[in-house]
Amino acid sequence: MQSIRNIAILAHVDAGKTTLSERILFTAGEIGRPGNVEEGLATMDYLPEEKARGITIEAGVAHFEWRDIWFNFIDTPGHIDFGAEVDMALSAVEGAVLVVSAANGVETQTMTAWNKLRTVGVRTLLFINKLDNKDYSLDEVLLNVEERLGVRPLLLSIPEYENGKISAVLDVISQTRLTHNEEGREEVVRINSKEASSDVKKYYKEAVEFASLFDDSVLEQALNGAEVSPKDLIRGLEKLAKSDEYVLCYAGSALENFGVRSLMTGLSFFLPSPPSFNKKALGQVVRLRYFRGYGEISLFRSMCNQPCSQWPSGYTFYRMKANMLLPENEIREGDIYAMKSELKMELGDCLGKDGKTFNIQSEESIRSKYQPLLQTQIECLKIEDYNHIEESLHILSRMDPSFKLARHPDGGYWIMHTVGEVQLEVLLARLKREFHC
């Protein structure tokens, strides 16, 4: 059965996270042309509010295949108001990419994301972005990563420049050059040892040195002066990737689509498969969504293999690509789906094979992690709209555990408790656009 990897992409706002997501899907052949965030054409940003603001609001889920591995891929928001979406993503994945902008280095939300990743134990690779500008120093960013994140970065891809523009990326492990083909995708160009640049040799030697700390075979070969093969090096670096003292690092430009292919190969080498689950459960609800035409949808992490003939009555599963849902005929252990149910699901619900739900973490305990900072009073223009507005507010509140709603018992209005102003503005916009309030 095909191996699965569940990964999330995190970053500070404007580090290029969604642009990188688009290039990954493009490189894997999932989309024929990468969308531009500034033009509102990114595949993963499907809400009109995301397109208008140029930021991710709801974590977008997509999938792709690479090196015969099935990847579920979650593009998370970088804005602090939507931290609950990041938490959702991290509850459903084993691996992550943390994007660092070469223009600004490690920023506030980079630190927040890194701390969350460490807290929940999600193995992480770094991607140093925006190196299409030769004025930005890769070495300075690596030093910044070491100082602020407290880990030693090991570089596995190096940008090359021609006439002041990025022209290729050198992959350290394979010692190949990645250039663009006619379609704009990266393709591998073999280089012999004589052509290999001193930088590639230097970083390969450094990778061997670091890997030898975690793999006795690599250490023995290095001590004997033998040449360490890429296969042996990958095995050693996989062990290094589990360490809290080092982080594997890729570099390039998401916008110009350089360094993306090396990163994707790193995802297949160095990030773990899903664990084995309690086979008594069909799976767990990790997030709720509301899609026009579908109603409420649960983002569901499967915990067993089961064909549709054995699904509990009243449940349907879909493969999710942003806001598109494609019906599935079976679910696989560790995979991520969208689930439609006749029953109203709650965040954190586990679904048994008999169709009954049980909860290992209450919705209230999930909501208690978030402390809203703003209070906004919402009133009806017309009394006949009261029930419709209340129902719409409750639907949005169910979708986002960081948004809390309270009804004033005597005043006939509601108090919205939100994390910040951007979240408030988005909620109000959705009330008008989606629910016609």
Side-chain angles (χ1 to χ4, degrees):
M1 187 173 288
Q2 191 177 30
S3 183
I4 295 173
R5 301 288 188 277
N6 297 316
I7 62 171
I9 293 201
L10 295 82
H12 189 91
V13 176
D14 292 333
K17 169 184 51 58
T18 299
T19 302
L20 177 60
S21 301
E22 290 290 305
R23 271 51 180 189
I24 287 174
L25 294 176
F26 174 65
T27 300
E30 281 296 316
I31 56 177
R33 178 185 173 191
N36 191 301
V37 175
E38 285 70 24
E39 295 173 359
L41 299 176
T43 307
M44 305 294 275
D45 288 345
Y46 51 83
L47 291 176
E49 291 76 19
E50 293 176 316
K51 297 178 184 293
R53 292 173 179 271
I55 63 171
T56 302
I57 293 169
E58 285 192 343
V61 182
H63 56 266
F64 64 90
E65 293 182 74
W66 188 252
R67 295 177 58 83
D68 199 31
I69 295 173
W70 179 270
F71 285 88
N72 289 305
F73 176 67
I74 306 179
D75 178 25
T76 69
H79 198 286
I80 191 171
D81 282 17
F82 307 105
E85 290 288 328
V86 179
D87 294 339
M88 175 281 293
L90 298 189
S91 71
V93 302
E94 295 76 40
V97 177
L98 181 60
V99 183
V100 179
S101 167
N104 302 303
V106 175
E107 301 175 85
T108 306
Q109 286 303 110
T110 318
M111 295 285 294
T112 300
W114 177 255
N115 291 333
K116 284 186 176 185
L117 289 162
R118 282 304 176 93
T119 299
V120 297
V122 171
R123 198 181 304 174
T124 306
L125 305 181
L126 292 191
F127 184 77
I128 310 299
N129 193 24
K130 301 193 177 182
L131 287 166
D132 45 301
N133 188 328
K134 202 171 186 299
D135 293 335
Y136 300 149
S137 170
L138 175 56
D139 288 338
E140 286 184 10
V141 179
L142 293 173
L143 284 171
N144 186 232
V145 165
E146 188 165 1
E147 290 171 1
R148 302 210 64 191
L149 300 186
V151 286
R152 181 83 179 269
L154 174 59
L155 192 63
L156 295 180
S157 62
I158 312 160
E160 281 190 322
Y161 297 89
E162 189 174 312
N163 299 323
K165 293 185 177 180
I166 188 169
S167 58
V169 164
L170 296 172
D171 184 88
V172 172
I173 294 177
S174 64
Q175 299 190 51
T176 57
R177 179 177 284 111
L178 301 175
T179 60
H180 282 174
N181 61 19
E182 293 179 357
E183 297 176 331
R185 290 185 171 90
E186 289 180 288
E187 63 180 7
V188 176
V189 177
R190 298 288 173 186
I191 52 179
N192 60 46
S193 58
K194 292 181 180 179
E195 292 177 318
S197 73
S198 58
D199 279 346
V200 167
K201 293 177 180 177
K202 181 185 83 171
Y203 283 110
Y204 193 92
K205 183 179 179 181
E206 184 179 85
V208 168
E209 181 184 336
F210 284 16
S212 69
L213 301 174
F214 296 86
D215 188 284
D216 291 341
S217 174
V218 173
L219 176 61
E220 184 179 351
Q221 292 178 65
L223 289 174
N224 293 332
E227 186 174 335
V228 177
S229 69
K231 182 178 179 181
D232 289 338
L233 178 58
I234 288 167
R235 186 186 64 246
L237 292 179
E238 185 180 6
K239 297 174 183 177
L240 178 146
K242 302 174 185 178
S243 166
D244 289 337
E245 299 175 17
Y246 299 89
V247 64
L248 300 179
C249 190
Y250 293 82
S253 167
L255 185 63
E256 298 295 332
N257 197 33
F258 279 111
V260 178
R261 187 184 177 106
S262 286
L263 171 67
M264 292 170 64
T265 302
L267 297 177
S268 65
F269 285 149
F270 304 122
L271 297 186
S273 302
S276 296
F277 294 96
N278 175 5
K279 300 298 192 295
K280 294 180 181 179
L282 199 64
Q284 185 175 23
V285 174
V286 295
R287 198 70 167 149
L288 298 173
R289 288 279 188 262
Y290 182 85
F291 289 160
R292 292 292 298 275
Y294 286 94
E296 281 194 16
I297 294 290
S298 303
L299 266 64
F300 184 84
R301 186 167 196 197
S302 174
M303 295 180 177
C304 67
N305 301 312
Q306 199 169 83
C308 60
S309 59
Q310 296 176 18
W311 294 347
S313 177
Y315 292 89
T316 310
F317 293 91
Y318 302 86
R319 183 65 68 188
M320 195 170 183
K321 186 175 182 180
N323 61 340
M324 294 186 292
L325 302 179
L326 307 172
E328 281 289 300
N329 293 319
E330 63 175 346
I331 57 176
R332 296 195 299 153
E333 182 180 7
D335 216 339
I336 298 173
Y337 302 91
M339 180 181 74
K340 179 70 177 170
S341 167
E342 295 176 356
L343 302 176
K344 187 168 282 190
M345 306 301 291
E346 298 293 341
L347 193 62
D349 273 355
C350 284
L351 178 64
K353 294 181 179 180
D354 58 1
K356 296 180 180 178
T357 60
F358 57 95
N359 213 307
I360 57 176
Q361 185 180 14
S362 70
E363 184 183 7
E364 191 56 40
S365 69
I366 295 172
R367 289 184 178 275
S368 66
K369 295 193 299 183
Y370 305 102
Q371 299 300 321
L373 301 177
L374 299 184
Q375 295 185 21
T376 307
Q377 182 173 314
I378 300 292
E379 298 184 24
C380 291
L381 290 174
K382 301 175 184 177
I383 189 64
E384 55 265 30
D385 290 338
Y386 186 90
N387 290 335
H388 172 62
I389 292 175
E390 182 169 62
E391 181 182 354
S392 303
L393 283 166
H394 275 296
I395 289 174
L396 289 176
S397 177
R398 282 169 52 74
M399 301 301 109
D400 186 351
S402 68
F403 161 46
K404 299 178 182 178
L405 182 68
R407 180 174 61 180
H408 192 282
D410 303 317
Y413 57 82
W414 304 270
I415 300 293
M416 294 171 62
H417 300 265
T418 54
V419 173
E421 290 185 13
V422 176
Q423 183 190 33
L424 171 63
E425 291 168 5
V426 168
L427 287 168
L428 293 176
R430 293 187 69 177
L431 278 171
K432 294 176 181 179
R433 176 180 57 82
E434 290 184 42
F435 300 95
H436 308 294
C437 293

